[in-house]
Amino acid sequence: MSEFKKHCWHDVIDSDTREIYQPYERVTFIGKKPALLLIDLYNLVYEGGSLPVKVVVKNHPSSCGVHAWDAVEPTKQLISLARCRDIPLIYSTQVTNHLEATNRVRNVVLDNSYDIHEAFRPEPDDLIIRKERASCFFGTPLIAYLTKMGIDSLIICGESTSGCVRATAVDAHSYGFHSVIAEECTFDRSLISHKVSLFDLHHKYADVMSLDEVKAHLDLRMVEF
Amino acid sequence: MSEFKKHCWHDVIDSDTREIYQPYERVTFIGKKPALLLIDLYNLVYEGGSLPVKVVVKNHPSSCGVHAWDAVEPTKQLISLARCRDIPLIYSTQVTNHLEATNRVRNVVLDNSYDIHEAFRPEPDDLIIRKERASCFFGTPLIAYLTKMGIDSLIICGESTSGCVRATAVDAHSYGFHSVIAEECTFDRSLISHKVSLFDLHHKYADVMSLDEVKAHLDLRMVEF
Amino acid sequence: MSEFKKHCWHDVIDSDTREIYQPYERVTFIGKKPALLLIDLYNLVYEGGSLPVKVVVKNHPSSCGVHAWDAVEPTKQLISLARCRDIPLIYSTQVTNHLEATNRVRNVVLDNSYDIHEAFRPEPDDLIIRKERASCFFGTPLIAYLTKMGIDSLIICGESTSGCVRATAVDAHSYGFHSVIAEECTFDRSLISHKVSLFDLHHKYADVMSLDEVKAHLDLRMVEF
Amino acid sequence: MSEFKKHCWHDVIDSDTREIYQPYERVTFIGKKPALLLIDLYNLVYEGGSLPVKVVVKNHPSSCGVHAWDAVEPTKQLISLARCRDIPLIYSTQVTNHLEATNRVRNVVLDNSYDIHEAFRPEPDDLIIRKERASCFFGTPLIAYLTKMGIDSLIICGESTSGCVRATAVDAHSYGFHSVIAEECTFDRSLISHKVSLFDLHHKYADVMSLDEVKAHLDLRMVEF
C-alpha cells in the first residue's frame, strides 16, 4: 500500500469508496514556511484520565479520555520537532465568558479549564488565539498574524478532529494555506468521526501524515533550504 | 427510537458513540425567517445518469451518479415547499474561470457545466452566489445578503455533504444562524462520508431533518405566525 | 438648510463639492432593531484632561483631550436613551497584550488603560468586543452576536472618527447593516479628519445625526411599533 | 520639508494637526513581494471626458472627470513599472447585476460600463476581482489569492480615494499587509475627501508615495535582492 493510503481510516472505508477517491492520490508535502497550530489542548479535554470516553463523559462531559491521553507523547514530540527548527507555535483555546463583563479577571483566576494542558505549556513568544467558534480563523485575528509572519502552511494537531480541527483545516484551505495534519496528534471523542474526518480532509483539503512522515519532511527541508 | 435519532447514519455509528452523543439530544426547529440554500446543484454532478458512482466517475469524475439523481424529486418538493411560503431561495455554484480575463463571456456561453441543473431552474428573483471555495460564505457576499434580508436561519440542501454542505453549515453556525439540513436532498459521492458528516453536523452544528419533518415544521409555523 | 446638510463639516466642504454630493440627499432613519455600539471609550483617550490635543499629546500620546471630554455628556445621554428603550449596548476596546501568554491576568489587573472609562461603565449584560484592528468587525465575533441578536442596524459613537469609527461604519455597511452615527458623541484628535470623515460617511455609508435627531427618531419608533 | 510630509494635503492640514501627527513620521518602504492593486478603473469613471467633476456629473453621475483623466498617464507608468519587474497585477471592478439571474451573459455583452478602461487593459494572466462592496477584500476571495501568491504588500492605485481605495487599504492593514498608495494614480470626485483620506491613510494605515518614490523604491529593491 502506498504511503498516501496508510492511515487509520482503512478499516471503515470500503473498496468502492477507495476506488472513487483513487484520483486524489498525490505527492504530499509541507510548505516552505509552516507554523504549528495546536488546537484546543486545554485541561477540560484530559479530565477523568486515560479511560474510555464512554466512561469519562459520565462525570466529565467535555473529556476525550483515552484518545486525549494517547496523543500526549506524540504531541510533545511534534512540539519538540517544531521548536528545534524555529517553526512558530500557535495555540488556540476557547473563550468561556463570552460577555466578558467586569468580573472577567476573577473568573479567569478561579477557573483554569480552558488553560493549555501543562504537558504543552506555551512559551512567552508563542501566540495564543482565543476563539468562540469551531474554526481558529472565525472571529479571531489569526489570518493577520499568519500574513505578518509570512506563513504559507500549517501543521495542525489537537482536537476534535471532526470539530475544531476540521473546521480550521477547511478554512486554512479556503484562505490559501497548505495544511498538514499530524495523525497521531489529533483526536476526537467519536472514533468513526475521527477516522472519516481524516479521510475527508486528506482527500479534499489537507495532507494527513503520520508523525514519522512529518519528521521526514521537516528533515528533508533542512537539507534543501 | 426518537425522531432525533431516526437518520441514515444509524448503521455506521456504534452503540458507544451513540451513548457518548446522547446528551446532544434536543428539540429541533426551523427559525422564524429562514432562507432555502441550494448548494452546487450544477450540471456536472448529474453527468452519466443514475448509475453507481463507481461507474459514472470513470468518464465523469465530478458526478455523484445515483445519489444525485435520487435527490432530484425530494429537492423539487423542497423547492416547492419554499416557494409556496415565500421563503427566499439562494443557489450557489462554482466559479470556473478564476482569472476571468477578457475571454470570460465566451467561456460562459460555451460551457454550461456549472449552470444550475434544469430540474431546479432559478427564477429571476432568486439569488445566485458564485464561489471558489467549499463554503458558500467564504469569498462571497452571502452574509451581506442574509443580513439585509433579515434571515435568521437556513434550510440547506445540495452537495457534497462532506464538502460544500458541511463547510457551509459550519460557517452558518459560526455566523450565528440556525441551520436545518434536509436529509434526502443532500448527497455525496462517498456514502460513509455522507452519513458521518450528517451525524457530526446534527450533533454539533445543525438540525438534520427528513423532508417530512421540514414540511411539518413549516406547516406549524404557518399556524403560529 | 435641510436637516440632511446641517452638520459640523459645513465650514470645510466647498460649494463645488456640496453640489457634486447633492444627489445623495435622502431621508435618514434608524432601523427596526438597532444596537448601540460604543467604540474605544477607554481610559487612555481621556488622559491629561480637557485640554487642546496639541497640549495633552506631549505627555499622553493617545489622548483626544478636549474632544474626548466634550463628548462625555452627550454620550451619557445617548447611553441613557438606549438603556430606557432596551436597545442592547456593545462596547469595543483594544487588546493590548496580543500574545496573551501566561502572565495575562496580572497585566490586566495592573493596567487599566484599555478599560472603559468610568463615565460609561458597562453593565453585566452588555457585550464587550476586544479587537486588535481598527474595525470592530475584523478579527472579532461581532457579526455572530449581531446575527444571533437579530440586529439590523447600529447607532455608532466613540473614537476616532477617522480611525475605528469609520472602519467600523464601512464594514457595517459591507455586512448589510444600516448605520447611524451620533455626531456629538464621536471624536478625533484631528478636527479636519473628524469633519471630512463624517462628511464621507454621511454621503456613502451611514446617516450622521445630531443627538436630537437620534432622540426624535427613537421617540417616533416608540409610537410606531 | 521631509519626503514624508511632501504631499497633496499640505494646504488643508493646519499646523496644529501637523504637530499632533508629527510622531507618525517614519521611514517608508515597499515590501519584499508586492502586488499592484488597481481599484475600480472602469469605464464609468471616465465618462464625459477631462472636465471639472461639477460639470460631468450632470450627465454622468459616476464620473470623476478631470481627476480620472489626470491620473491616466501616471497610472500607465505605474503599470509599466510593475510589468517590467514581474509584479503581479490585480484589478478590481464592481459587480453590477447582483442577482446574476439567467440573463447575466447578455447583460455583460451589452453593457461595458464596469469593464476596465482600455488605457489599462488587463493581460490574460492578471487577476480580476469582482466585488459588490467598497473594499476589495469584502465578499471576494482576494485574501486567498494573496496568500497563495505569497504576497506581503500592496501597491494601491485607482478610485475613489475616500471610498474603495481607503476601505481596501484599511482592510489590507487589518489582514497584515503593508500598503503603499501611489499618490498621482489615486483620485476622487471630492478634492477635500481625496486629500484628507490620503493624510489619514498615510499616518495610520499605509505609506503614501509619489510615483517617483515608488519607482525609486522598486529600483532599490532590484539592487538589493
Side-chain angles (χ1 to χ4, degrees), chain D residues 54-69:
Chain D
K54 186 170 78 161
V55 176
V56 291
V57 292
K58 296 215 167 76
N59 292 313
H60 308 284
S62 298
S63 178
C64 293
V66 62
H67 304 313
W69 288 95

Side-chain angles (χ1 to χ4, degrees), chain A residues 98-102 104-105 108-109 123-128 130 132-133 138-141 143-145 148, chain C residues 98-101 104-105 108-109 122-128 130 132-133 138-141 143-145 148:
Chain A
H98 67 263
L99 292 180
E100 296 196 340
T102 48
R104 187 176 66 96
V105 174
V108 171
V109 170
E123 296 191 355
D125 283 349
D126 297 337
L127 179 63
I128 302 183
R130 293 168 196 279
E132 303 188 36
R133 296 305 195 177
F138 191 91
T140 80
I143 182 64
Y145 285 102
K148 283 187 94 74
Chain C
H98 67 264
L99 293 180
E100 295 196 339
R104 188 175 66 95
V105 174
V108 172
V109 170
E123 297 191 355
D125 282 349
D126 298 336
L127 179 64
I128 302 183
R130 295 170 194 278
E132 304 189 35
R133 297 304 196 179
F138 192 91
T140 79
I143 181 65
Y145 284 102
K148 282 185 94 75

Side-chain angles (χ1 to χ4, degrees), chain B residues 14 184 199 218-219:
Chain B
D14 66 21
E184 302 95 320
F199 172 78
L218 291 176
D219 286 345

Side-chain angles (χ1 to χ4, degrees), chain D residues 156-186:
Chain D
I156 296 175
C157 70
E159 62 84 29
S160 69
T161 319
S162 68
C164 300
V165 168
R166 181 170 182 146
T168 301
V170 170
D171 266 1
H173 184 265
S174 291
Y175 276 104
F177 297 96
H178 178 73
S179 291
V180 163
I181 297 171
E183 186 169 318
E184 301 96 319
C185 310
T186 307

Side-chain angles (χ1 to χ4, degrees), chain C:
Chain C
M1 187 165 30
S2 75
E3 199 76 23
F4 189 82
K5 291 178 183 162
K6 270 191 262 164
H7 289 289
C8 65
W9 56 74
H10 215 253
D11 61 325
V12 300
I13 306 297
D14 66 21
S15 64
D16 278 14
T17 302
R18 282 203 292 269
E19 195 176 327
I20 294 167
Y21 279 82
Q22 179 62 42
Y24 285 91
E25 186 157 344
R26 63 191 183 277
V27 176
T28 59
F29 67 101
I30 294 177
K32 288 191 182 168
K33 178 90 174 113
L36 175 57
L37 182 56
L38 304 115
I39 299 181
D40 290 10
L41 297 177
Y42 45 68
N43 291 321
L44 266 185
V45 167
Y46 300 88
E47 284 185 347
S50 185
L51 296 173
V53 181
K54 186 170 79 163
V55 176
V56 291
V57 293
K58 295 212 168 78
N59 292 312
H60 307 285
S62 298
S63 178
C64 292
V66 62
H67 303 315
W69 287 95
D70 281 354
V72 168
E73 276 313 308
T75 303
K76 287 170 74 170
Q77 289 175 40
L78 181 62
I79 290 174
S80 176
L81 284 177
R83 292 217 188 272
C84 290
R85 286 158 179 81
D86 286 329
I87 292 174
L89 271 73
I90 305 172
Y91 291 80
S92 76
T93 186
Q94 290 292 125
V95 169
T96 48
N97 181 0
H98 67 264
L99 293 180
E100 295 196 339
T102 49
N103 56 357
R104 188 175 66 95
V105 174
R106 197 167 31 151
N107 282 354
V108 172
V109 170
L110 294 178
D111 184 359
N112 66 355
S113 298
Y114 289 97
D115 283 1
I116 304 300
H117 189 265
E118 62 177 2
F120 320 115
R121 199 186 299 274
E123 297 191 355
D125 282 349
D126 298 336
L127 179 64
I128 302 183
I129 295 289
R130 295 170 194 278
K131 66 188 175 70
E132 304 189 35
R133 297 304 196 179
S135 168
C136 293
F137 287 91
F138 192 91
T140 79
L142 177 57
I143 181 65
Y145 284 102
L146 298 178
T147 304
K148 282 185 94 75
M149 294 158 83
I151 299 299
D152 70 349
S153 54
L154 298 171
I155 302 169
I156 296 175
C157 69
E159 62 84 31
S160 70
T161 320
S162 68
C164 300
V165 168
R166 181 170 181 146
T168 301
V170 171
D171 267 2
H173 184 265
S174 291
Y175 276 103
F177 297 96
H178 178 73
S179 292
V180 163
I181 297 172
E183 186 169 318
E184 301 96 320
C185 310
T186 307
F187 53 98
D188 200 303
R189 289 189 292 160
S190 157
L191 210 50
I192 182 84
S193 297
H194 172 73
K195 289 179 177 178
V196 178
S197 268
L198 286 183
F199 172 78
D200 292 343
L201 288 167
H202 188 53
H203 288 86
K204 296 186 189 185
Y205 303 113
D207 291 352
V208 177
M209 292 186 189
S210 68
L211 189 55
D212 280 349
E213 278 181 275
V214 172
K215 184 171 185 316
H217 278 275
L218 290 176
D219 287 344
L220 191 63
R221 284 162 33 91
M222 296 192 81
V223 176
E224 281 177 350
F225 294 107

Side-chain angles (χ1 to χ4, degrees), chain A residues 14 17 20, chain B residues 12 67 188-197:
Chain A
D14 65 22
T17 301
I20 294 167
Chain B
V12 301
H67 304 314
D188 200 302
R189 289 189 293 159
S190 157
L191 210 50
I192 183 83
S193 298
H194 171 72
K195 289 178 178 179
V196 178
S197 267

Side-chain angles (χ1 to χ4, degrees), chain B residues 8-159:
Chain B
C8 66
W9 56 74
H10 216 253
D11 61 325
V12 301
I13 308 298
D14 66 21
S15 64
D16 278 14
T17 302
R18 281 203 292 270
E19 196 177 324
I20 294 167
Y21 277 83
Q22 178 64 40
Y24 284 91
E25 185 157 345
R26 64 191 183 276
V27 175
T28 59
F29 67 101
I30 293 177
K32 287 192 182 167
K33 178 88 174 116
L36 174 58
L37 181 57
L38 305 114
I39 299 181
D40 290 10
L41 297 177
Y42 43 70
N43 291 322
L44 265 185
V45 167
Y46 300 88
E47 285 186 347
S50 184
L51 297 171
V53 180
K54 186 169 80 163
V55 175
V56 290
V57 293
K58 294 211 168 79
N59 292 313
H60 307 285
S62 298
S63 179
C64 293
V66 62
H67 304 314
W69 287 95
D70 280 354
V72 168
E73 276 313 308
T75 303
K76 287 170 75 171
Q77 288 175 41
L78 182 60
I79 290 174
S80 176
L81 283 176
R83 293 217 188 274
C84 289
R85 285 157 180 81
D86 286 329
I87 292 174
L89 271 73
I90 305 172
Y91 291 80
S92 76
T93 188
Q94 292 290 126
V95 169
T96 48
N97 181 0
H98 67 263
L99 294 180
E100 296 196 339
T102 47
N103 56 356
R104 188 176 66 96
V105 174
R106 197 166 32 152
N107 282 354
V108 172
V109 170
L110 294 178
D111 184 0
N112 66 355
S113 299
Y114 289 97
D115 283 3
I116 304 301
H117 189 264
E118 62 177 1
F120 320 115
R121 199 185 298 275
E123 296 191 355
D125 283 349
D126 298 336
L127 179 63
I128 302 183
I129 295 289
R130 295 169 194 278
K131 67 189 175 67
E132 305 189 34
R133 297 304 196 179
S135 167
C136 293
F137 286 91
F138 191 91
T140 78
L142 177 57
I143 181 64
Y145 284 103
L146 297 178
T147 304
K148 283 186 93 76
M149 294 157 83
I151 298 299
D152 70 349
S153 54
L154 297 172
I155 302 168
I156 297 175
C157 69
E159 62 85 28

